[in-house]
Amino acid sequence: QVQLVESGGGLVQAGGSLRLSCAASGRTFSMYPMGWFRQAPGKVREFVAGIRWSGGTTYYAEFVKGRFTISRDNAENTAYLQMNSLKPEDTAIYYCAADSRYRGWHPDVMDYWGKGTLVTVSS
């Protein structure tokens, strides 16, 4: 069982930065793949970034490459998403998710979800 709580969302102007945090509980956190997803109103939930425990391999959606960075601190049971050069189209609720094993980054395969944190980017 894993519980996830996101924080760090807010309002920022285009070109600005935010850092999202995902605090996790559970003894197996360090072994779980962790990912960030986002969903705008009326839109499908989409993958943003992911990180695997083994080798620290990271994955990014094409639309955030070069702007966002995912990381994790296993000692503190926390995952992060550093978001730079934000655009209005990045506006969405951002969710932290975890899987019991790596099965890719489709939202339907993730086992655990946080409740989300809202990111709003103004022009």
Side-chain angles (χ1 to χ4, degrees), residues 3 11 16 23 27 34 36 38 44 47 58 67 72 74 86 96 100:
Q3 291 79 44
L11 175 64
R27 291 185 293 175
M34 303 289 296
W36 289 94
R38 70 187 188 186
V44 67
F47 169 72
T58 57
R67 299 191 297 126
R72 66 192 298 171
N74 289 330
L86 284 162
C96 178
S100 58

Side-chain angles (χ1 to χ4, degrees), residues 54-115:
S54 299
T57 305
T58 57
Y59 305 80
Y60 296 96
E62 188 66 31
F63 54 82
V64 303
K65 285 184 177 179
R67 299 191 297 126
F68 293 7
T69 303
I70 187 171
S71 61
R72 66 192 298 171
D73 186 335
N74 289 330
E76 297 184 358
N77 291 334
T78 303
Y80 302 95
L81 183 68
Q82 178 66 46
M83 304 186 295
N84 299 326
S85 301
L86 284 162
K87 306 174 182 179
E89 52 263 44
D90 294 320
T91 296
I93 298 174
Y94 283 71
Y95 298 90
C96 178
D99 203 2
S100 58
R101 64 191 187 278
Y102 179 65
R103 296 180 287 172
W105 301 108
H106 195 286
D108 289 347
V109 309
M110 308 304 291
D111 290 328
Y112 308 101
W113 292 89
K115 294 182 178 180

Side-chain angles (χ1 to χ4, degrees), residues 38-58:
R38 70 187 188 186
Q39 187 169 20
K43 302 289 184 66
V44 67
R45 189 168 300 188
E46 61 183 355
F47 169 72
V48 176
I51 185 167
R52 298 177 67 181
W53 177 79
S54 299
T57 305
T58 57

